[in-house]
Amino acid sequence: MKATKLFGWIFALGSIFSVNSHAQTLPFAGTIQYRISYSSDIIPSEQLAQSPQVASLRINATKAIFSMGEEKTLADAETKTVYSLINLSQLGLGKYRIESTEADLNDAMPQDLTLEATGNTKEIFGYKAQEMQCQTKLQGATVEMKIWCVADFCDPFLIHASQAGVPGLEGRFPLEYTIATPDISMTFSVHKLNPEEVNPKYFNIPASYKSSTKEKMAADIQEVMQAMQGMGM
């Protein structure tokens, strides 16, 4: 849940056969649509209902872009760069583009991460997915993930476009997954999977997203929050 680090199921039988007849083609290129479900003992259901309920992932040979609400994450396997695109216009802060190199990503990897294969498998739209269980800590809180991943699904670097992009998956792409913290659990379940040629325009970064850093964005948000508090909001 990168934005908060501040942070159907039934098809006609013929359609299923049509999807599965193409789904085994690797590497994958096309569009994946997810449904997002939430569970929390402390966050009101009304608030959870206002959170994004769908997400999408578009992939071609060298790029992948994940879109959820006002957040997008673009991974470029050619330049080994990940772009976090965050729209904070509702706070009056505009749109941020934060670039991370492969070295940055490696440096940011948690040191206490554990990853274990359970041996369980299931089919997801014709792909045989393996279950992995992951545990780590984020800002002192335990984060657990159950990841259903597919080997050789796409260029290994494109895993960084996913919200469950963790080290140790060894080229296996996280296709469906659950991310659980002490406060909330989020599950991304595949709703549609369409092998297709993706229009290159989806991988373009609009000029309205201005280059920044995580530190600068956090400072800007803190300044706005303090100003709102000062106005009694």
Side-chain angles (χ1 to χ4, degrees):
M1 199 164 56
K2 296 175 184 173
T4 57
K5 285 181 183 178
L6 318 159
F7 302 81
W9 281 99
I10 301 175
F11 288 90
L13 186 60
S15 297
I16 294 178
F17 287 154
S18 175
V19 170
N20 288 348
S21 67
H22 298 285
Q24 294 296 340
T25 302
L26 292 172
F28 176 82
T31 301
I32 301 171
Q33 293 183 1
Y34 300 91
R35 284 178 173 165
I36 309 172
S37 59
Y38 302 85
S39 176
S40 176
D41 293 330
I42 64 173
I43 301 176
S45 57
E46 296 82 2
Q47 183 176 340
L48 294 178
Q50 296 176 6
S51 301
Q53 304 297 307
V54 296
S56 67
L57 177 70
R58 291 182 170 90
I59 301 177
N60 69 9
T62 60
K63 295 180 181 180
I65 186 163
F66 180 92
S67 304
M68 184 180 75
E70 296 296 331
E71 179 189 4
K72 300 179 187 293
T73 303
L74 170 66
D76 188 330
E78 291 185 318
T79 63
K80 303 297 185 184
T81 305
V82 172
Y83 301 88
S84 298
L85 308 176
I86 304 171
N87 185 354
L88 297 179
S89 297
Q90 291 184 341
L91 293 177
L93 293 176
K95 300 177 180 180
Y96 292 74
R97 183 184 79 245
I98 300 173
E99 300 180 20
S100 300
T101 65
E102 190 170 27
D104 294 332
L105 296 170
N106 291 334
D107 289 342
M109 292 301 180
Q111 300 300 312
D112 55 356
L113 182 144
T114 61
L115 190 66
E116 179 183 4
T118 67
N120 296 329
T121 63
K122 74 172 181 177
E123 185 174 294
I124 302 176
F125 279 78
Y127 291 93
K128 184 178 181 181
Q130 300 174 312
E131 183 184 42
M132 306 289 289
Q133 291 185 340
C134 172
Q135 181 171 303
T136 186
K137 288 188 179 296
L138 176 64
Q139 298 177 348
T142 298
V143 179
E144 296 180 343
M145 287 180 275
K146 181 171 74 173
I147 306 168
W148 294 96
C149 50
V150 178
D152 303 318
F153 189 74
C154 58
D155 188 294
F157 188 80
L158 301 184
I159 187 177
H160 295 295
S162 167
Q163 298 245 333
V166 298
L169 290 184
E170 299 174 350
R172 291 169 292 201
F173 192 87
L175 199 54
E176 289 190 1
Y177 42 91
T178 297
I179 305 173
T181 72
D183 295 338
I184 189 172
S185 174
M186 299 175 62
T187 297
F188 293 80
S189 301
V190 177
H191 170 53
K192 294 181 181 179
L193 187 149
N194 298 322
E196 60 187 356
E197 183 177 349
V198 179
N199 192 319
K201 72 176 184 179
Y202 286 110
F203 305 107
N204 294 334
I205 300 176
S208 55
Y209 285 87
K210 305 303 182 182
S211 179
S212 187
T213 65
K214 295 178 182 178
E215 294 76 16
K216 177 64 167 60
M217 184 177 69
D220 291 346
I221 293 173
Q222 180 66 23
E223 183 177 347
V224 169
M225 293 299 107
Q226 291 175 347
M228 293 175 65
Q229 292 175 357
M231 293 186 292
M233 299 177 64

